[in-house]
Amino acid sequence: MKHIRTVFLLAAAATSELNATDFQASWSGVGGTASATFSVDDSLFNVSGINSISPSAAWLTAFSVTITDGTNPITFTKSNLNHGDFRLNGTPVTSTNMLNNLSTSVIFHFGASSGGSNIHQIPASFLNPNLGVNGGLDNMNPYGYMNLISFSLAGPTGVSDIPVWLSSINGQNRVYTVGATLAGLPLEGAHHRPMLSFDRMGKTTQAWATGDFGSSSNTRDVHVTTGEAGINWNLGKTGLIGFAAGYGQQNQDLAFNGSSASTGEYALVEYDFRPEGTQWIVSLLGMVGSWESKTNRGYTSGGSTDSSFGIADTTTRSARLRVDAPALVSFGGFGFAPYASYSVTQTVVGAYTETGGAFPASFDEQEHNATEARLGVTASKELSEKTKLLLTVEAIHRFDGVGPSLTGQDVTGGVSFSLPGTAPRADCVRFGFDVDHRLNENTLLNVAAHVATVGEAHDVSAAISIRRAF
């Protein structure tokens, strides 16, 4: 057999999901140089035993090894593989030891039989007629069996800790989440209720100013604020249409003293319909946001911390359909009304290139559609002639799977990277309250606050608005 002995390059950069991961390696020594790239699908591994290597190995999604003496290169692809197995230091492959044993060697057994057609044009400097099938370390025998060639991690020249560097690269995946988070705050904050659910105070037109705040610390350290102004008016006896424009900002801490600050504007339109003579409300909301993320990506370089700066432009487009039923039951003075919603948010992060620092990188465009459903119930009670209390509980489910992968390359060394996306937490539950208080016959003050279990919704969020009818 011929063997390649290599170490993982990208495992540390993968987050909670490892699926279709790319690896790169390079070697130089007796006879010339060699380089390798391969991709594996962790979900297809036999985690309790040997994973056979062959051209039909489904878990090995891509494979290429090129060796050269400087003048005569030869490349082996997946179709050249013959037989063997894949293990970590002689132990079966599992997701856990893939992620946690970066210094552990990976043994590839591959090759063609007895000098077959796959072993053509091998550089003469790699051949050693004195080597047996299992002998030697650096050369190939006359039949083309490569023996335990030791590879090292590939990365930008001068980077001493490749997994740490890749971890900082993977942190840029958070730029993608910025757009969705900024869009989500007003969508499920100031606009977590249909406009028709607010007291119209006997008028046909209403203007408002709203401020939102959201914070998350369980899964990521994020702080978001938005503010907007808008106006709506009645459309006959059954409809309402409203428009608003707002500004948002998100601040986020990243690894190695890095940070990200994102700002931008958004506009939204909402149409509500209440069939005459009923308390049902059907609402459709559309929102478009344009955001700019300024990121200092921190990493270690030569024993110290360095950073590179980049600006990413992000666009979000959201649509939500929601149905609110009237109170179906009453208990303790509260009326309990169910509701359901379905929303889609498209996020597009433009390609950008960093500047400054020892190892700036360029990042390719990312795009993803997030789909979400919410099912909840609102318990409402009139506390006084001027004050109304609303309590809500809702279950949230995300339907979209793994997010976009992060691809690009190191600017200084031209080292490409491809990091897998991560899946959102599919389910969480959110609790909230609203207080509507009429300050006078034409002015309504609304205060709302929400807390959520661990998931994609903000851990804590709050909104306050002043609404003036005329």
Side-chain angles (χ1 to χ4, degrees), residues 148-176:
L148 295 176
I149 290 183
S150 179
F151 285 79
S152 60
L153 293 174
T157 302
V159 174
S160 58
D161 193 334
I162 302 301
V164 168
W165 177 76
L166 283 165
S167 178
S168 76
I169 290 290
N170 199 45
Q172 297 310 97
N173 254 329
R174 300 188 182 189
V175 175
Y176 147 72

PDB file of all heavy atoms in Angstrom, residues 148-176:
ATOM      1  N   LEU A 148       4.133   6.607   4.092  1.00  0.00           N
ATOM      2  CA  LEU A 148       4.161   7.451   5.275  1.00  0.00           C
ATOM      3  C   LEU A 148       4.816   8.800   5.032  1.00  0.00           C
ATOM      4  O   LEU A 148       5.721   9.209   5.744  1.00  0.00           O
ATOM      5  CB  LEU A 148       4.889   6.722   6.423  1.00  0.00           C
ATOM      6  CG  LEU A 148       4.175   5.459   6.938  1.00  0.00           C
ATOM      7  CD1 LEU A 148       5.024   4.776   7.997  1.00  0.00           C
ATOM      8  CD2 LEU A 148       2.816   5.789   7.504  1.00  0.00           C
ATOM      9  N   ILE A 149       4.389   9.509   4.007  1.00  0.00           N
ATOM     10  CA  ILE A 149       4.889  10.865   3.791  1.00  0.00           C
ATOM     11  C   ILE A 149       4.205  11.781   4.789  1.00  0.00           C
ATOM     12  O   ILE A 149       2.988  11.805   4.899  1.00  0.00           O
ATOM     13  CB  ILE A 149       4.624  11.325   2.357  1.00  0.00           C
ATOM     14  CG1 ILE A 149       5.532  10.539   1.417  1.00  0.00           C
ATOM     15  CG2 ILE A 149       4.858  12.803   2.201  1.00  0.00           C
ATOM     16  CD1 ILE A 149       5.411  10.953  -0.027  1.00  0.00           C
ATOM     17  N   SER A 150       4.991  12.525   5.521  1.00  0.00           N
ATOM     18  CA  SER A 150       4.471  13.352   6.606  1.00  0.00           C
ATOM     19  C   SER A 150       4.175  14.757   6.109  1.00  0.00           C
ATOM     20  O   SER A 150       5.056  15.437   5.579  1.00  0.00           O
ATOM     21  CB  SER A 150       5.485  13.422   7.756  1.00  0.00           C
ATOM     22  OG  SER A 150       4.997  14.235   8.790  1.00  0.00           O
ATOM     23  N   PHE A 151       2.918  15.172   6.270  1.00  0.00           N
ATOM     24  CA  PHE A 151       2.502  16.497   5.841  1.00  0.00           C
ATOM     25  C   PHE A 151       2.418  17.441   7.040  1.00  0.00           C
ATOM     26  O   PHE A 151       2.259  17.012   8.175  1.00  0.00           O
ATOM     27  CB  PHE A 151       1.123  16.441   5.166  1.00  0.00           C
ATOM     28  CG  PHE A 151       1.155  15.869   3.789  1.00  0.00           C
ATOM     29  CD1 PHE A 151       1.224  14.508   3.591  1.00  0.00           C
ATOM     30  CD2 PHE A 151       1.124  16.704   2.688  1.00  0.00           C
ATOM     31  CE1 PHE A 151       1.246  13.975   2.323  1.00  0.00           C
ATOM     32  CE2 PHE A 151       1.152  16.178   1.406  1.00  0.00           C
ATOM     33  CZ  PHE A 151       1.210  14.812   1.221  1.00  0.00           C
ATOM     34  N   SER A 152       2.508  18.725   6.769  1.00  0.00           N
ATOM     35  CA  SER A 152       2.323  19.732   7.808  1.00  0.00           C
ATOM     36  C   SER A 152       1.122  20.591   7.436  1.00  0.00           C
ATOM     37  O   SER A 152       0.648  20.572   6.306  1.00  0.00           O
ATOM     38  CB  SER A 152       3.569  20.623   7.951  1.00  0.00           C
ATOM     39  OG  SER A 152       3.822  21.290   6.727  1.00  0.00           O
ATOM     40  N   LEU A 153       0.633  21.363   8.398  1.00  0.00           N
ATOM     41  CA  LEU A 153      -0.518  22.220   8.166  1.00  0.00           C
ATOM     42  C   LEU A 153      -0.193  23.296   7.144  1.00  0.00           C
ATOM     43  O   LEU A 153       0.902  23.857   7.147  1.00  0.00           O
ATOM     44  CB  LEU A 153      -0.944  22.896   9.465  1.00  0.00           C
ATOM     45  CG  LEU A 153      -1.503  21.992  10.556  1.00  0.00           C
ATOM     46  CD1 LEU A 153      -1.742  22.788  11.814  1.00  0.00           C
ATOM     47  CD2 LEU A 153      -2.775  21.326  10.100  1.00  0.00           C
ATOM     48  N   ALA A 154      -1.155  23.590   6.278  1.00  0.00           N
ATOM     49  CA  ALA A 154      -0.991  24.665   5.305  1.00  0.00           C
ATOM     50  C   ALA A 154      -1.684  25.912   5.818  1.00  0.00           C
ATOM     51  O   ALA A 154      -2.816  25.855   6.271  1.00  0.00           O
ATOM     52  CB  ALA A 154      -1.574  24.254   3.961  1.00  0.00           C
ATOM     53  N   GLY A 155      -1.035  27.032   5.733  1.00  0.00           N
ATOM     54  CA  GLY A 155      -1.621  28.291   6.169  1.00  0.00           C
ATOM     55  C   GLY A 155      -0.738  29.438   5.739  1.00  0.00           C
ATOM     56  O   GLY A 155       0.303  29.242   5.109  1.00  0.00           O
ATOM     57  N   PRO A 156      -1.135  30.671   6.043  1.00  0.00           N
ATOM     58  CA  PRO A 156      -0.307  31.813   5.677  1.00  0.00           C
ATOM     59  C   PRO A 156       1.084  31.698   6.286  1.00  0.00           C
ATOM     60  O   PRO A 156       1.239  31.330   7.448  1.00  0.00           O
ATOM     61  CB  PRO A 156      -1.076  33.004   6.274  1.00  0.00           C
ATOM     62  CG  PRO A 156      -2.472  32.521   6.413  1.00  0.00           C
ATOM     63  CD  PRO A 156      -2.357  31.062   6.736  1.00  0.00           C
ATOM     64  N   THR A 157       2.098  32.025   5.518  1.00  0.00           N
ATOM     65  CA  THR A 157       3.458  31.975   6.012  1.00  0.00           C
ATOM     66  C   THR A 157       3.619  32.899   7.217  1.00  0.00           C
ATOM     67  O   THR A 157       3.254  34.070   7.161  1.00  0.00           O
ATOM     68  CB  THR A 157       4.448  32.397   4.912  1.00  0.00           C
ATOM     69  OG1 THR A 157       4.273  31.542   3.792  1.00  0.00           O
ATOM     70  CG2 THR A 157       5.886  32.321   5.404  1.00  0.00           C
ATOM     71  N   GLY A 158       4.116  32.364   8.300  1.00  0.00           N
ATOM     72  CA  GLY A 158       4.315  33.163   9.508  1.00  0.00           C
ATOM     73  C   GLY A 158       3.282  32.909  10.570  1.00  0.00           C
ATOM     74  O   GLY A 158       3.457  33.323  11.714  1.00  0.00           O
ATOM     75  N   VAL A 159       2.179  32.249  10.227  1.00  0.00           N
ATOM     76  CA  VAL A 159       1.168  31.910  11.225  1.00  0.00           C
ATOM     77  C   VAL A 159       1.611  30.648  11.952  1.00  0.00           C
ATOM     78  O   VAL A 159       1.769  29.596  11.344  1.00  0.00           O
ATOM     79  CB  VAL A 159      -0.215  31.689  10.573  1.00  0.00           C
ATOM     80  CG1 VAL A 159      -1.213  31.191  11.601  1.00  0.00           C
ATOM     81  CG2 VAL A 159      -0.714  32.982   9.951  1.00  0.00           C
ATOM     82  N   SER A 160       1.803  30.765  13.252  1.00  0.00           N
ATOM     83  CA  SER A 160       2.315  29.643  14.024  1.00  0.00           C
ATOM     84  C   SER A 160       1.217  28.704  14.501  1.00  0.00           C
ATOM     85  O   SER A 160       1.466  27.534  14.763  1.00  0.00           O
ATOM     86  CB  SER A 160       3.119  30.155  15.236  1.00  0.00           C
ATOM     87  OG  SER A 160       2.308  30.989  16.049  1.00  0.00           O
ATOM     88  N   ASP A 161       0.007  29.199  14.625  1.00  0.00           N
ATOM     89  CA  ASP A 161      -1.105  28.389  15.130  1.00  0.00           C
ATOM     90  C   ASP A 161      -2.250  28.459  14.133  1.00  0.00           C
ATOM     91  O   ASP A 161      -3.106  29.336  14.202  1.00  0.00           O
ATOM     92  CB  ASP A 161      -1.543  28.900  16.506  1.00  0.00           C
ATOM     93  CG  ASP A 161      -2.469  27.920  17.227  1.00  0.00           C
ATOM     94  OD1 ASP A 161      -3.134  27.139  16.542  1.00  0.00           O
ATOM     95  OD2 ASP A 161      -2.493  27.945  18.467  1.00  0.00           O
ATOM     96  N   ILE A 162      -2.264  27.514  13.175  1.00  0.00           N
ATOM     97  CA  ILE A 162      -3.261  27.545  12.113  1.00  0.00           C
ATOM     98  C   ILE A 162      -4.689  27.404  12.653  1.00  0.00           C
ATOM     99  O   ILE A 162      -5.587  28.135  12.238  1.00  0.00           O
ATOM    100  CB  ILE A 162      -2.975  26.461  11.064  1.00  0.00           C
ATOM    101  CG1 ILE A 162      -1.575  26.655  10.478  1.00  0.00           C
ATOM    102  CG2 ILE A 162      -4.016  26.508   9.946  1.00  0.00           C
ATOM    103  CD1 ILE A 162      -1.357  27.980   9.818  1.00  0.00           C
ATOM    104  N   PRO A 163      -4.966  26.449  13.581  1.00  0.00           N
ATOM    105  CA  PRO A 163      -6.337  26.353  14.090  1.00  0.00           C
ATOM    106  C   PRO A 163      -6.843  27.651  14.711  1.00  0.00           C
ATOM    107  O   PRO A 163      -8.005  28.011  14.543  1.00  0.00           O
ATOM    108  CB  PRO A 163      -6.234  25.222  15.131  1.00  0.00           C
ATOM    109  CG  PRO A 163      -5.112  24.380  14.657  1.00  0.00           C
ATOM    110  CD  PRO A 163      -4.115  25.348  14.093  1.00  0.00           C
ATOM    111  N   VAL A 164      -5.969  28.376  15.419  1.00  0.00           N
ATOM    112  CA  VAL A 164      -6.379  29.644  16.023  1.00  0.00           C
ATOM    113  C   VAL A 164      -6.668  30.670  14.934  1.00  0.00           C
ATOM    114  O   VAL A 164      -7.643  31.423  15.006  1.00  0.00           O
ATOM    115  CB  VAL A 164      -5.291  30.162  16.986  1.00  0.00           C
ATOM    116  CG1 VAL A 164      -5.564  31.600  17.400  1.00  0.00           C
ATOM    117  CG2 VAL A 164      -5.240  29.275  18.226  1.00  0.00           C
ATOM    118  N   TRP A 165      -5.814  30.711  13.906  1.00  0.00           N
ATOM    119  CA  TRP A 165      -6.048  31.640  12.800  1.00  0.00           C
ATOM    120  C   TRP A 165      -7.381  31.339  12.127  1.00  0.00           C
ATOM    121  O   TRP A 165      -8.166  32.241  11.834  1.00  0.00           O
ATOM    122  CB  TRP A 165      -4.906  31.529  11.788  1.00  0.00           C
ATOM    123  CG  TRP A 165      -5.091  32.400  10.580  1.00  0.00           C
ATOM    124  CD1 TRP A 165      -4.926  33.747  10.488  1.00  0.00           C
ATOM    125  CD2 TRP A 165      -5.507  31.968   9.277  1.00  0.00           C
ATOM    126  NE1 TRP A 165      -5.197  34.182   9.217  1.00  0.00           N
ATOM    127  CE2 TRP A 165      -5.561  33.112   8.455  1.00  0.00           C
ATOM    128  CE3 TRP A 165      -5.823  30.723   8.736  1.00  0.00           C
ATOM    129  CZ2 TRP A 165      -5.921  33.046   7.109  1.00  0.00           C
ATOM    130  CZ3 TRP A 165      -6.178  30.664   7.390  1.00  0.00           C
ATOM    131  CH2 TRP A 165      -6.221  31.811   6.597  1.00  0.00           C
ATOM    132  N   LEU A 166      -7.654  30.049  11.885  1.00  0.00           N
ATOM    133  CA  LEU A 166      -8.908  29.671  11.262  1.00  0.00           C
ATOM    134  C   LEU A 166     -10.104  29.968  12.154  1.00  0.00           C
ATOM    135  O   LEU A 166     -11.193  30.280  11.680  1.00  0.00           O
ATOM    136  CB  LEU A 166      -8.877  28.187  10.894  1.00  0.00           C
ATOM    137  CG  LEU A 166      -8.056  27.870   9.643  1.00  0.00           C
ATOM    138  CD1 LEU A 166      -7.778  26.393   9.545  1.00  0.00           C
ATOM    139  CD2 LEU A 166      -8.778  28.362   8.401  1.00  0.00           C
ATOM    140  N   SER A 167      -9.910  29.873  13.462  1.00  0.00           N
ATOM    141  CA  SER A 167     -10.982  30.214  14.389  1.00  0.00           C
ATOM    142  C   SER A 167     -11.359  31.685  14.244  1.00  0.00           C
ATOM    143  O   SER A 167     -12.539  32.048  14.271  1.00  0.00           O
ATOM    144  CB  SER A 167     -10.551  29.920  15.826  1.00  0.00           C
ATOM    145  OG  SER A 167     -11.565  30.280  16.734  1.00  0.00           O
ATOM    146  N   SER A 168     -10.356  32.563  14.067  1.00  0.00           N
ATOM    147  CA  SER A 168     -10.651  33.986  13.870  1.00  0.00           C
ATOM    148  C   SER A 168     -11.344  34.209  12.532  1.00  0.00           C
ATOM    149  O   SER A 168     -12.235  35.055  12.414  1.00  0.00           O
ATOM    150  CB  SER A 168      -9.368  34.814  13.951  1.00  0.00           C
ATOM    151  OG  SER A 168      -8.583  34.689  12.778  1.00  0.00           O
ATOM    152  N   ILE A 169     -10.946  33.439  11.501  1.00  0.00           N
ATOM    153  CA  ILE A 169     -11.608  33.525  10.203  1.00  0.00           C
ATOM    154  C   ILE A 169     -13.072  33.131  10.341  1.00  0.00           C
ATOM    155  O   ILE A 169     -13.981  33.796   9.830  1.00  0.00           O
ATOM    156  CB  ILE A 169     -10.910  32.615   9.177  1.00  0.00           C
ATOM    157  CG1 ILE A 169      -9.527  33.169   8.816  1.00  0.00           C
ATOM    158  CG2 ILE A 169     -11.767  32.445   7.921  1.00  0.00           C
ATOM    159  CD1 ILE A 169      -9.558  34.443   8.007  1.00  0.00           C
ATOM    160  N   ASN A 170     -13.313  32.038  11.052  1.00  0.00           N
ATOM    161  CA  ASN A 170     -14.674  31.540  11.201  1.00  0.00           C
ATOM    162  C   ASN A 170     -15.556  32.525  11.956  1.00  0.00           C
ATOM    163  O   ASN A 170     -16.775  32.515  11.815  1.00  0.00           O
ATOM    164  CB  ASN A 170     -14.667  30.188  11.907  1.00  0.00           C
ATOM    165  CG  ASN A 170     -15.967  29.423  11.682  1.00  0.00           C
ATOM    166  OD1 ASN A 170     -16.445  29.362  10.561  1.00  0.00           O
ATOM    167  ND2 ASN A 170     -16.514  28.862  12.721  1.00  0.00           N
ATOM    168  N   GLY A 171     -14.937  33.376  12.788  1.00  0.00           N
ATOM    169  CA  GLY A 171     -15.703  34.399  13.486  1.00  0.00           C
ATOM    170  C   GLY A 171     -16.413  35.345  12.543  1.00  0.00           C
ATOM    171  O   GLY A 171     -17.410  35.973  12.907  1.00  0.00           O
ATOM    172  N   GLN A 172     -15.926  35.453  11.300  1.00  0.00           N
ATOM    173  CA  GLN A 172     -16.572  36.335  10.338  1.00  0.00           C
ATOM    174  C   GLN A 172     -17.925  35.804   9.903  1.00  0.00           C
ATOM    175  O   GLN A 172     -18.708  36.531   9.294  1.00  0.00           O
ATOM    176  CB  GLN A 172     -15.671  36.527   9.113  1.00  0.00           C
ATOM    177  CG  GLN A 172     -14.343  37.211   9.439  1.00  0.00           C
ATOM    178  CD  GLN A 172     -14.535  38.482  10.238  1.00  0.00           C
ATOM    179  OE1 GLN A 172     -14.429  38.468  11.456  1.00  0.00           O
ATOM    180  NE2 GLN A 172     -14.839  39.575   9.568  1.00  0.00           N
ATOM    181  N   ASN A 173     -18.211  34.531  10.198  1.00  0.00           N
ATOM    182  CA  ASN A 173     -19.557  34.024   9.946  1.00  0.00           C
ATOM    183  C   ASN A 173     -20.592  34.816  10.724  1.00  0.00           C
ATOM    184  O   ASN A 173     -21.780  34.835  10.377  1.00  0.00           O
ATOM    185  CB  ASN A 173     -19.647  32.538  10.315  1.00  0.00           C
ATOM    186  CG  ASN A 173     -19.696  31.652   9.087  1.00  0.00           C
ATOM    187  OD1 ASN A 173     -20.222  32.054   8.053  1.00  0.00           O
ATOM    188  ND2 ASN A 173     -19.165  30.459   9.190  1.00  0.00           N
ATOM    189  N   ARG A 174     -20.152  35.472  11.784  1.00  0.00           N
ATOM    190  CA  ARG A 174     -21.088  36.258  12.581  1.00  0.00           C
ATOM    191  C   ARG A 174     -21.567  37.497  11.832  1.00  0.00           C
ATOM    192  O   ARG A 174     -22.599  38.065  12.172  1.00  0.00           O
ATOM    193  CB  ARG A 174     -20.417  36.664  13.896  1.00  0.00           C
ATOM    194  CG  ARG A 174     -19.979  35.472  14.744  1.00  0.00           C
ATOM    195  CD  ARG A 174     -19.509  35.891  16.105  1.00  0.00           C
ATOM    196  NE  ARG A 174     -19.040  34.747  16.881  1.00  0.00           N
ATOM    197  CZ  ARG A 174     -18.727  34.802  18.161  1.00  0.00           C
ATOM    198  NH1 ARG A 174     -18.830  35.934  18.829  1.00  0.00           N
ATOM    199  NH2 ARG A 174     -18.303  33.725  18.800  1.00  0.00           N
ATOM    200  N   VAL A 175     -20.795  37.946  10.826  1.00  0.00           N
ATOM    201  CA  VAL A 175     -21.249  39.079  10.028  1.00  0.00           C
ATOM    202  C   VAL A 175     -22.563  38.733   9.336  1.00  0.00           C
ATOM    203  O   VAL A 175     -23.463  39.565   9.212  1.00  0.00           O
ATOM    204  CB  VAL A 175     -20.171  39.475   8.999  1.00  0.00           C
ATOM    205  CG1 VAL A 175     -20.687  40.570   8.073  1.00  0.00           C
ATOM    206  CG2 VAL A 175     -18.908  39.942   9.715  1.00  0.00           C
ATOM    207  N   TYR A 176     -22.699  37.475   8.897  1.00  0.00           N
ATOM    208  CA  TYR A 176     -23.950  37.044   8.273  1.00  0.00           C
ATOM    209  C   TYR A 176     -25.124  37.153   9.244  1.00  0.00           C
ATOM    210  O   TYR A 176     -26.227  37.554   8.862  1.00  0.00           O
ATOM    211  CB  TYR A 176     -23.799  35.607   7.761  1.00  0.00           C
ATOM    212  CG  TYR A 176     -25.072  34.819   7.828  1.00  0.00           C
ATOM    213  CD1 TYR A 176     -26.125  35.079   6.967  1.00  0.00           C
ATOM    214  CD2 TYR A 176     -25.236  33.823   8.798  1.00  0.00           C
ATOM    215  CE1 TYR A 176     -27.305  34.367   7.047  1.00  0.00           C
ATOM    216  CE2 TYR A 176     -26.404  33.109   8.880  1.00  0.00           C
ATOM    217  CZ  TYR A 176     -27.442  33.385   8.009  1.00  0.00           C
ATOM    218  OH  TYR A 176     -28.612  32.689   8.102  1.00  0.00           O
TER     219      TYR A 176
END
